[in-house]
Amino acid sequence: MASSADAAPSTRPRPLQIGWHVAFGVSIERWLEAERDQLVLWLPVMLGLGIALWLVLPDPLAWSVVALVAGGVSLAALAVGRGGRAGRALAAGAMLTAFGVLLIWARAESIAVVPIAAPVIARFEARVERVEPLAARDLVRLRLTPLRVIGDGRRPEPSLPAHLRINLASGDVPAGMNEGATIRLGARLMPPPGPAVPGAYDFARVAWFDGIGATGRGLAPVTVLTPGTRGSELGLGRLRAALSLHIQHSAPGGAGAIAAALATGDQNAISEGDADAMRRSGLAHLLSVSGLHITAAVGAVMLIVGRLLALSPWVALRWRVPMISAGAGAVAAIGYTLLTGAEVPTVRSCVAALLVLAALMMGREAITLRLVAAGAFVVLVLYPEALAGPSFQLSFAAVAAIVSLHEHPAVKRWFGPHEEKRWRAIARGLLSLLFTGVVVELALIPISAFHFHRAGVYGSVANIIAIPLTTFVTMPFEALALVFDVIGAGCPFWWVTARSLDLLLWIAHSVAALPGAVASIPAMPTGAYALMVVGGLWIALWRTRWRRVGAVPLVIGATWALLTPVPDLLVTSDGRHAAIRTAAGNVAVLRDRTGDYTANTFAENGGIVGVPLLLSEQPDARCSRDVCLVQRSSGGRRWRILATRSGYFVPTEQLVPLCTTVDIVISDRNLPRACRPRWLKLNKAMLAKTGGVAVTFSTATVTTVNQPGDRHPWRINRSGAATRRAYPGSAPARVRSAAGRRSDWQDQAEPSRPRGGNT
């Protein structure tokens, strides 16, 4: 018989049942609470995400959808989040993403300079905005504002854009041509060129945001109608040019060119050999005025001002000398930034320096990731287009890697202050510098590979000597030399400066000459690069164990990039130049007379180090003066490529039968309709739609520069759908678009390319 206790219902409370979604939300809130100090670091990241989406997506409809969806997500997060940290973080991030899209969209639309539609030869009068001597190439680069086109009365006068950039031979520069002058000259002008091949430098985008509507080569004679005004002669640009020439005269040769770059940011006098050695050795960041230079300038000014004020007991007892010194350092940082042209790395470093000085004045910790994030946010708001450039990416990646590394508790324990003998402290410092250099090199490899298709191997070792040499010897003695030049006593200081820079160049050339100093990497997919960036940011910005999750996208992106096959055929957008991968893995160019710029483009995007070979000298090619016929085996089949290589027309009765026997035909002119290759016809009409082309034989993939429907303002007259014709028995081609990062056209009007990393 059951007891009454057993019959009575249980009065014990049942366990509370919590849904998985509630538990997940609680876990997210706990995680974000633990990371609350790091959330602010993601503000510039989300702003940059919006800017990147605008650059990647093709048209206004897609941009509008992203902005509206991001805004809707932000409002929904505020409504549903009920005041939780996750809801607020998601709302802020989504709103900044929408703001980033609208910010760069407005910036692009505000550019009033429309590029010329086609090449033109014109004679005109113009006002000189900027004069940049390119001493290493014996050229002078001019930025001009056209005032009046001089017609010949027989044909309509061409319409010129508001701003031009032309190169002029140094011997054609007349006396009195300076900033503010009015000149008369002729020029061969072309639209700012887009990428020559997929993965190349996109000068058209850079020119658009710089307000340049045409670029080209100036033609003599050049006549100065009115000289520059006295105000322009005393402007910062004029002062920068005069200071650069003075430094090069005081320290002749390669040392003087680098000294000028350190003081004024003018790299134009550096020879290509020295610049290449600095890039290959991982020391190119020293040539760009950025964090190292701003720090040295600010530190020197603070030290000098502080010591001078401390000489007076009355001042030292009554005034806050450290605050005054910090104020003088801030003035020095701003002045140095303006003097060197206010480039993105310099602006970023100046903002960071001002934040550090403000933190020191308030007694707060100065060097933190918050400072880096604030600098990135300011730069993106002022120059949203800078996000796409290697300068911005390399600068902030390097600084973020350094700060994040040294904020890690284990690193603080290893390399922080210790009670130990002096020799052990010095050894610990050198080991810390080496370890930091290795981490920075690893952080910068994806960026260098994506933009420059090369990555240095020994840069961390070279920087152990180069950075202290530049910081503690070269820059202080150069500053003393400039100061003592006022009384004509700067020669001893210039001698020390020149010898230190000779040593720097010797290090650069020695490291660059080592076997395997540079790893060449072909163009990587944008998706792979994006995964590596996301993984790197996740690891750098979080602090709890969940930061390790960032290794997943990082490894996936790196694997994707490494497994991407190297293109077998590269064709420029004009069809004049082509490069084919040889059986030995090198690259051979179609035309025997190919400019250095074009050859370097093929080498970089073809994943080789060195000078390309000539196709006419390859055993699997048969070339005449007018055409080349090449055979390559790849992907289980034999490919036959026919390419024209001169300005002479091939008789139709000879060309048409030959077309039917080949897989790909390449030409810089329109070919007869009867010329029907088995797989792909890349003639003038097709390349006008596709832009530059890269073909991978093993996967039968055709990658094009132009993206169908691309409505970015610098591509409106260039975009077009990439079409193809498939024939029976041929492998199906997979055609995809790829935004490029470099361009190709006449060497005499070669577009500027970033010379290396700015860190």
Side-chain angles (χ1 to χ4, degrees):
M1 183 173 180
S3 66
S4 59
D6 294 334
S10 175
T11 58
R12 289 178 298 178
R14 295 181 179 180
L16 181 63
Q17 299 295 323
I18 300 178
W20 66 268
H21 58 284
V22 176
F24 178 75
V26 171
S27 300
I28 292 294
E29 288 291 339
R30 289 176 178 173
W31 171 51
L32 294 179
E33 177 63 25
E35 297 276 15
R36 62 183 181 275
D37 293 335
Q38 306 300 113
L39 292 177
V40 69
L41 304 180
W42 288 91
L43 297 181
V45 175
M46 301 310 294
L47 178 65
L49 174 62
I51 296 171
L53 289 174
W54 186 89
L55 291 168
V56 171
L57 296 175
D59 53 38
L61 176 60
W63 308 333
S64 301
V65 168
V66 169
L68 291 174
V69 169
V73 169
S74 178
L75 295 176
L78 288 176
V80 178
R82 300 177 182 177
R85 192 178 298 276
R88 296 197 304 270
L90 180 59
M95 188 58 68
L96 278 174
T97 300
F99 177 66
V101 173
L102 299 176
L103 178 66
I104 190 169
W105 192 353
R107 166 81 170 145
E109 293 296 334
S110 67
I111 304 296
V113 177
V114 178
I116 61 176
V120 65
I121 297 178
R123 190 161 182 80
F124 54 93
E125 295 177 1
R127 183 174 63 252
V128 179
E129 297 181 17
R130 189 184 308 155
V131 180
E132 300 178 56
L134 309 180
R137 296 167 51 192
D138 198 27
L139 294 173
V140 173
R141 178 167 292 159
L142 304 177
R143 181 185 171 100
L144 305 175
T145 299
L147 301 176
R148 183 175 70 90
V149 178
I150 303 172
D152 56 9
R154 294 176 295 178
R155 67 188 81 181
E157 296 180 2
S159 177
L160 299 182
H163 302 285
L164 311 173
R165 199 193 73 177
I166 67 170
N167 291 339
L168 191 66
S170 299
D172 296 334
V173 177
M177 190 185 72
N178 49 39
E179 295 179 10
T182 302
I183 61 175
R184 180 188 296 124
L185 77 163
R188 292 192 297 266
L189 301 174
M190 297 185 68
V197 295
Y201 176 57
D202 191 354
F203 179 67
R205 185 195 68 235
V206 175
W208 176 268
F209 285 105
D210 197 27
I212 297 173
T215 182
R217 174 82 175 197
L219 304 174
V222 180
T223 305
V224 177
L225 302 179
T226 58
T229 63
R230 182 172 179 79
S232 67
E233 291 178 357
L234 297 178
L236 287 175
R238 187 70 176 169
L239 176 61
R240 182 164 56 249
L243 183 59
S244 179
L245 290 175
H246 171 73
I247 294 173
Q248 294 173 48
H249 176 75
S250 302
I258 294 182
L262 295 176
T264 67
D266 178 15
Q267 301 183 31
N268 294 320
I270 301 175
S271 67
E272 188 58 37
D274 289 344
D276 186 64
M278 296 290 284
R279 285 194 297 268
R280 292 169 61 89
S281 60
L283 302 179
H285 64 91
L286 298 176
L287 302 178
S288 173
V289 177
S290 53
L292 176 65
H293 311 77
I294 293 289
T295 301
V298 171
V301 170
M302 290 182 63
L303 178 64
I304 293 172
V305 172
R307 289 290 186 266
L308 290 177
L309 293 177
L311 293 176
S312 170
W314 186 87
V315 171
L317 292 174
R318 290 169 173 79
W319 294 359
R320 297 185 62 181
V321 173
M323 183 173 291
I324 297 174
S325 301
V331 173
I334 296 173
Y336 191 26
T337 300
L338 295 175
L339 176 64
T340 55
E343 299 292 338
V344 171
T346 319
V347 172
R348 185 267 306 164
S349 302
C350 181
V351 171
L354 296 178
L355 292 174
V356 168
L357 294 173
L360 291 175
M361 290 179 181
M362 295 185 295
R364 302 287 298 273
E365 186 179 359
I367 309 299
T368 65
L369 280 176
R370 290 196 173 198
L371 180 146
V372 180
F377 195 89
V378 170
V379 172
L380 288 178
V381 170
L382 296 177
Y383 311 103
E385 69 276 9
L387 179 73
S391 175
F392 177 91
Q393 297 173 21
L394 289 167
S395 298
F396 283 98
V399 177
I402 293 172
V403 178
S404 178
L405 174 68
H406 287 274
E407 283 186 352
H408 195 281
V411 176
K412 285 183 177 180
R413 289 195 303 270
W414 295 338
F415 299 119
H418 289 73
E419 292 292 338
E420 57 188 357
K421 294 182 179 180
R422 187 168 184 80
W423 70 267
R424 291 179 62 89
I426 294 175
R428 189 184 298 275
L430 291 176
L431 183 60
S432 172
L433 185 60
L434 176 61
F435 182 60
T436 303
V438 170
V439 172
V440 170
E441 288 292 328
L442 292 175
L444 299 186
I445 281 177
I447 304 174
S448 299
F450 183 72
H451 289 283
F452 305 110
H453 312 293
R454 294 181 181 179
V457 177
Y458 307 121
S460 56
V461 179
N463 277 286
I464 290 180
I465 303 175
I467 290 179
L469 175 67
T470 305
T471 305
F472 300 114
V473 179
T474 301
M475 295 189 67
F477 274 91
E478 183 173 358
L480 290 173
L482 291 172
V483 171
F484 278 89
D485 272 348
V486 176
I487 59 174
C491 286
F493 302 101
W494 282 122
W495 185 87
V496 176
T497 301
R499 300 294 76 77
S500 67
L501 290 174
D502 287 338
L503 176 59
L504 178 67
L505 284 173
W506 178 83
I507 294 171
H509 283 276
S510 299
V511 172
L514 293 174
V518 176
S520 184
I521 304 170
M524 76 169 64
T526 304
Y529 180 62
L531 284 173
M532 286 189 281
V533 170
V534 169
L537 288 172
W538 192 273
I539 293 173
L541 301 187
W542 293 130
R543 282 293 171 265
T544 62
R545 66 178 183 274
W546 288 103
R547 70 189 302 182
R548 302 168 189 169
V549 176
V552 176
L554 185 61
V555 171
I556 293 175
T559 304
W560 183 3
L562 292 174
L563 295 181
T564 300
V566 180
D568 297 289
L569 173 65
L570 295 169
V571 183
T572 59
S573 55
D574 58 6
R576 285 179 49 82
H577 300 284
I580 300 177
R581 183 164 302 279
T582 65
N586 211 315
V587 170
V589 295
L590 174 64
R591 295 179 182 249
D592 293 346
R593 300 185 64 179
T594 301
D596 293 340
Y597 190 81
T598 304
N600 290 336
T601 298
F602 284 140
E604 291 183 4
N605 291 275
I608 67 167
V609 177
V611 180
L613 306 175
L614 297 179
L615 187 59
S616 57
E617 298 178 354
Q618 302 310 303
D620 53 358
R622 292 184 296 160
C623 295
S624 67
R625 295 182 60 183
D626 301 320
V627 296
C628 267
L629 179 63
V630 189
Q631 298 190 47
R632 275 292 316 279
S633 295
S634 180
R637 61 170 292 183
R638 181 175 294 275
W639 297 82
R640 289 168 58 86
I641 305 102
L642 175 68
T644 62
R645 62 195 301 257
S646 75
Y648 294 97
F649 287 91
V650 180
T652 303
E653 60 272 14
Q654 298 178 16
L655 178 64
V656 171
L658 192 57
C659 286
T660 61
T661 66
V662 299
D663 300 286
I664 302 173
V665 173
I666 304 166
S667 181
D668 60 348
R669 65 195 71 136
N670 286 323
L671 299 176
R673 288 178 177 271
C675 176
R676 295 167 58 89
R678 293 192 293 245
W679 194 63
L680 189 62
K681 184 177 179 179
L682 296 174
N683 62 350
K684 182 178 180 180
M686 173 64 77
L687 291 170
K689 299 177 182 179
T690 64
V693 171
V695 181
T696 305
F697 294 154
S698 60
T699 57
T701 302
V702 180
T703 306
T704 65
V705 167
N706 291 341
Q707 182 178 354
D710 192 342
R711 301 297 296 172
H712 288 98
W714 58 89
R715 289 206 192 279
I716 287 178
N717 296 326
R718 305 173 189 271
S719 62
T723 59
R724 64 177 174 84
R725 186 184 301 274
Y727 294 88
S730 64
R734 293 197 297 272
V735 181
R736 61 187 177 91
S737 297
R741 294 174 302 282
R742 190 172 169 179
S743 62
D744 166 57
W745 71 283
Q746 300 170 351
D747 289 339
Q748 62 188 8
E750 160 188 323
S752 293
R753 178 187 191 271
R755 280 192 144 185
N758 300 321
T759 58

